[in-house]
Amino acid sequence: MSGFEGKVAVVTGAASGLGAASARLLAARGATVMLFDRDVDGLTRIREELATKGLRVDAMAGDVSNSANCDAAVAKAVAGLGGVDILVNNAGFGRLGPTEDMTDDFWRTSAAVNIDGYFYMARAAIRTMLAAGSGGAIVNMASIYGLVGIGSHLAYCAAKGAIVNMTRSLALEYAGCGIRVNAVCPGVILTPLIQSTLDDAGQARFADLHPMKRMGQPEEVARGVAFLAGDEASFITGVVLPVDGGYTAQ
Ligand SMILES: NC(=O)c1ccc[n+]([C@@H]2O[C@H](COP(=O)([O-])OP(=O)(O)OC[C@H]3O[C@@H](n4cnc5c(N)ncnc54)[C@H](O)[C@@H]3O)[C@@H](O)[C@H]2O)c1
């Protein structure tokens, strides 16, 4: 199991769900974590939770769809924490709905957060990693819906498909510099995103789509993130790892 002592990790969307679970696990295994999220109250909660346990943590409020905010988060990690060794690109959202009703605004907001935000953060982290010259690891939170389709989820499926291939392209571009880029593709995981998107019947229906007949837990995804971010994955780059109870094996 990888330890992260001496490593600095920036985690986006760290105030909730999969980002919070990833931040908790990386910090518990020794990383210094920069939490980045637009939810100021949530950010404060997670920051205090980790700090109270004696874990090393800092936080920055901002929006990943704003490239200046992304640059500032990375700059804060460099100035305050000494660099960026790991980026967990996780902030994102989705909403089910018929394509014929989707507004231009929704489509653009989805792309701005779910694609642009991943690019802005990756670019900022890569610049820092290249300048430091000691490599690094980027883990992109994609989705099973970047690997297979589902109806009435067009903007999300398009964005997550983009993240899967962004992962491969970045991995190839920076493999020679020791920067590994991988993605995790979670199945449906019980987080506030799912609780706010699906009612109980919807959750049961989605749980049933997984061969393991349940939704995943955030900690199960965080373990995949930590594996790909850590030295145990030292020869792994350009990989997309489903953490999905068998969903994409069908
Ligand atoms: N929960 C699932 O079933 C599931 C499955 C596959 C992939 N994912 C992906 O995992 C990631 C996290 O999802 P989650 O379920 O933990 O959701 P969540 O809603 O619980 O948490 C998302 C966090 O991202 C933050 N965020 C959203 N937009 C932001 C922005 N523009 N700038 C900064 N922060 C922003 C939110 O404030 C929130 O704290 C997303 O990319 C999501 O698509 C989730």
Side-chain angles (χ1 to χ4, degrees), residues 51-170:
T52 303
K53 291 180 182 156
L55 301 174
R56 288 181 293 273
V57 65
D58 198 356
M60 162 106 186
D63 189 324
V64 295
S65 68
N66 177 317
S67 68
N69 285 185
C70 295
D71 290 344
V74 168
K76 189 172 182 188
V78 172
L81 307 177
V84 176
D85 303 291
I86 295 162
L87 167 65
V88 181
N89 233 342
N90 163 82
F93 77 102
R95 197 188 315 140
L96 290 162
T99 299
E100 68 270 22
D101 294 339
M102 194 187 300
T103 62
D104 294 3
D105 189 50
F106 181 81
W107 173 268
R108 292 202 186 290
T109 303
S110 170
V113 175
N114 294 323
I115 304 177
D116 299 359
Y118 280 59
F119 159 62
Y120 296 146
M121 287 302 303
R123 181 179 60 183
I126 285 167
R127 284 175 175 161
T128 295
M129 290 169 181
L130 288 175
S134 42
I138 297 176
V139 182
N140 290 325
M141 196 64 76
S143 167
I144 50 172
Y145 298 126
L147 299 174
V148 299
I150 185 169
S152 302
H153 219 7
L154 181 73
Y156 189 79
C157 287
K160 293 303 186 184
I163 297 310
V164 165
N165 231 21
M166 184 190 289
T167 300
R168 296 183 179 121
S169 179
L170 286 174

Side-chain angles (χ1 to χ4, degrees), residues 12-21 36-40 42-43 60-66 69-70 89-94 109 112-114 117-118 141-145 156 160 184-196 198 210 215-216 218 221 243:
T12 72
S16 176
L18 304 184
F36 182 35
D37 204 292
R38 66 180 175 191
D39 171 3
V40 176
L43 209 49
M60 162 106 186
D63 189 324
V64 295
S65 68
N66 177 317
N69 285 185
C70 295
N89 233 342
N90 163 82
F93 77 102
T109 303
V113 175
N114 294 323
Y118 280 59
M141 196 64 76
S143 167
I144 50 172
Y145 298 126
Y156 189 79
K160 293 303 186 184
V184 172
C185 289
V188 181
I189 313 297
L190 196 54
T191 66
L193 175 69
I194 295 304
Q195 284 157 337
S196 66
L198 299 173
H210 298 71
M215 289 183 282
V221 177
V243 180

Side-chain angles (χ1 to χ4, degrees), residues 16-36:
S16 176
L18 304 184
S22 300
R24 283 187 187 102
L25 186 57
L26 293 174
R29 292 191 186 169
T32 302
V33 180
M34 171 64 74
L35 311 165
F36 182 35

